[in-house]
Amino acid sequence: MPRKSSGEINTISVVIDDQLWNGIVGDSIRNKFASPVEGLSKEEPRFDINQFPIDVMEGFVTKSRTIIVVKESTKNYFAIKKDQYATPQTVVHITGKSLADILKIIEKRTPQIIKIIEEGEIKAHQQLLNDSVLDAEIIQQQFQLTLKIPKKYTYVLKNKSFIWLKKEFQSGSNSLIISQLPLSLINSEDNVLEKVIKVHDSIGALYIKGKERTSSLYIDKSYPLYLSQLTLDGKPAYEIKGVWRTKDNFMFGAFANYLIVDSKNKRIVYLDGFCYVPSQDRRDYMHELESIIKGIKIN
């Protein structure tokens, strides 16, 4: 049986000689794979990178869940290998006859590599969540959908059209909101971003308050908002990332908002994950919420 891979979430082992790492090739890898995560209020890297020289491509390095091997050789070569030394694992091989050739491969292949690594990290995080899952019968009955939510989340609020779950920890909290909207809310001609801001802020005004009753949650438009289209459980969906804030209050944090077009059931499934972790990095808290949401199964 293959060995089990290991490593922190969102961490890449880059196996490359020091000479390449300390020059333009290393700069290119850092610029692309440690670029800032979208939708956070301060810069945090997309991935943490650990560099190892080529001659240590053995032992614990080969157990890493994500490995990028870069070297000069007599031919140009690119490959992505699954479970080469351990499982689950993604190993990217980049070989070039010159520095220019290596840089060309990195430039061309980066979007493909990032997509595969991100999908692998979501699956790895989902595996961690599977170990202790909340009984989500209420969500199933109310919204005809399944989410694997860790047991540390508890129901803060639930009514016929809305559920709010929260996980409290020493440095703050993670929140998950589930609701549904009329299918007519969005059509292809709509400005999706404007509609989402209205929905998000109206839910905030109704249910999510700061310490004062007048202090409700809203999207802070002074930060960039990132809209993308994707598929969740085989259905078209929109993902919006950005920064939330509370009125008349100092509280703010990151959110990731998902609208899933469920035509069969004539509705839009609305999911919103947001964290409040003052003076802490937010990337991995948001990654947990994203992993929960992206594991959705709609009946």
Side-chain angles (χ1 to χ4, degrees):
M1 262 185 78
R3 297 184 301 167
K4 190 169 170 46
S5 62
S6 60
E8 297 292 320
I9 292 290
N10 293 320
T11 299
I12 302 174
S13 296
V14 177
V15 181
I16 182 173
D17 280 340
D18 291 346
Q19 194 178 344
L20 287 177
W21 182 245
N22 294 323
I24 54 173
V25 171
D27 288 343
S28 178
I29 291 167
R30 285 185 289 273
N31 288 339
K32 286 175 168 39
F33 293 94
S35 61
V37 178
E38 292 179 346
L40 301 183
S41 55
K42 70 181 184 70
E43 285 197 1
E44 294 179 44
R46 188 191 290 266
F47 302 111
D48 297 323
I49 298 174
N50 297 321
Q51 182 253 336
F52 303 94
I54 290 283
D55 57 11
V56 302
M57 190 57 192
E58 56 187 29
F60 75 95
V61 178
T62 57
K63 279 187 73 181
S64 300
R65 191 168 51 256
T66 308
I67 305 170
I68 299 177
V69 184
V70 183
K71 56 187 177 185
E72 278 190 279
S73 189
T74 53
K75 64 174 184 175
N76 293 333
Y77 174 72
F78 172 80
I80 296 176
K81 297 185 178 178
K82 286 287 181 188
D83 306 339
Q84 187 174 356
Y85 307 104
T87 184
Q89 187 181 62
T90 300
V91 185
V92 179
H93 294 271
I94 297 170
T95 302
K97 290 188 279 188
S98 66
L99 295 187
D101 288 333
I102 293 172
L103 289 169
K104 206 179 286 182
I105 294 169
I106 292 169
E107 187 65 40
K108 181 183 175 186
R109 299 290 189 167
T110 291
Q112 178 189 359
I113 298 166
I114 286 176
K115 187 172 185 288
I116 286 168
I117 293 173
E118 285 183 339
E119 286 170 356
E121 292 306 280
I122 290 285
K123 281 180 187 166
H125 214 146
Q126 286 169 344
Q127 279 303 121
L128 292 175
L129 302 176
N130 280 348
D131 293 343
S132 177
V133 178
L134 176 88
D135 178 8
E137 186 67 28
I138 293 166
I139 297 166
Q140 169 65 47
Q141 286 176 353
Q142 198 159 317
F143 295 112
Q144 293 77 54
L145 59 86
T146 304
L147 285 167
K148 288 184 175 174
I149 301 167
K151 271 187 180 165
K152 289 184 178 174
Y153 285 77
T154 56
Y155 291 95
V156 178
L157 198 80
K158 50 181 185 283
N159 62 34
K160 283 182 181 176
S161 58
F162 177 87
I163 285 176
W164 175 12
L165 294 125
K166 194 183 215 182
K167 179 174 88 169
E168 304 267 9
F169 38 84
Q170 199 171 0
S171 55
S173 63
N174 259 11
S175 284
L176 178 65
I177 283 167
I178 306 159
S179 190
Q180 55 190 11
L181 308 165
L183 193 58
S184 57
L185 183 84
I186 288 173
N187 63 53
S188 53
E189 287 80 48
D190 280 339
N191 184 329
V192 175
L193 213 47
E194 279 183 19
K195 286 277 177 80
V196 170
I197 292 168
K198 276 184 185 170
V199 169
H200 178 283
D201 291 358
S202 64
I203 285 174
L206 269 174
Y207 301 116
I208 302 162
K209 308 291 183 181
K211 291 193 170 83
E212 306 297 323
R213 292 303 299 166
T214 54
S215 175
S216 63
L217 190 96
Y218 70 97
I219 288 174
D220 187 344
K221 289 184 279 189
S222 67
Y223 287 93
L225 287 167
Y226 299 90
L227 170 68
S228 54
Q229 288 179 269
L230 67 163
T231 303
L232 290 178
D233 194 32
K235 294 165 183 63
Y238 295 94
E239 175 188 72
I240 300 93
K241 291 183 175 181
V243 173
W244 62 268
R245 195 172 284 278
T246 51
K247 283 178 186 166
D248 315 319
N249 201 298
F250 61 88
M251 293 173 76
F252 70 99
F255 75 87
N257 202 296
Y258 296 83
L259 283 84
I260 306 166
V261 181
D262 181 14
S263 303
K264 191 178 175 187
N265 295 307
K266 297 184 173 57
R267 63 176 179 165
I268 289 168
V269 176
Y270 178 91
L271 300 159
D272 185 18
F274 62 95
C275 70
Y276 175 60
V277 276
S279 69
Q280 293 263 334
D281 286 345
R282 298 175 174 91
R283 181 195 68 187
D284 293 344
Y285 294 109
M286 289 308 299
H287 197 268
E288 176 176 290
L289 290 163
E290 199 176 321
S291 300
I292 293 167
I293 291 167
K294 287 186 173 174
I296 189 170
K297 297 286 177 219
I298 296 173
N299 296 1

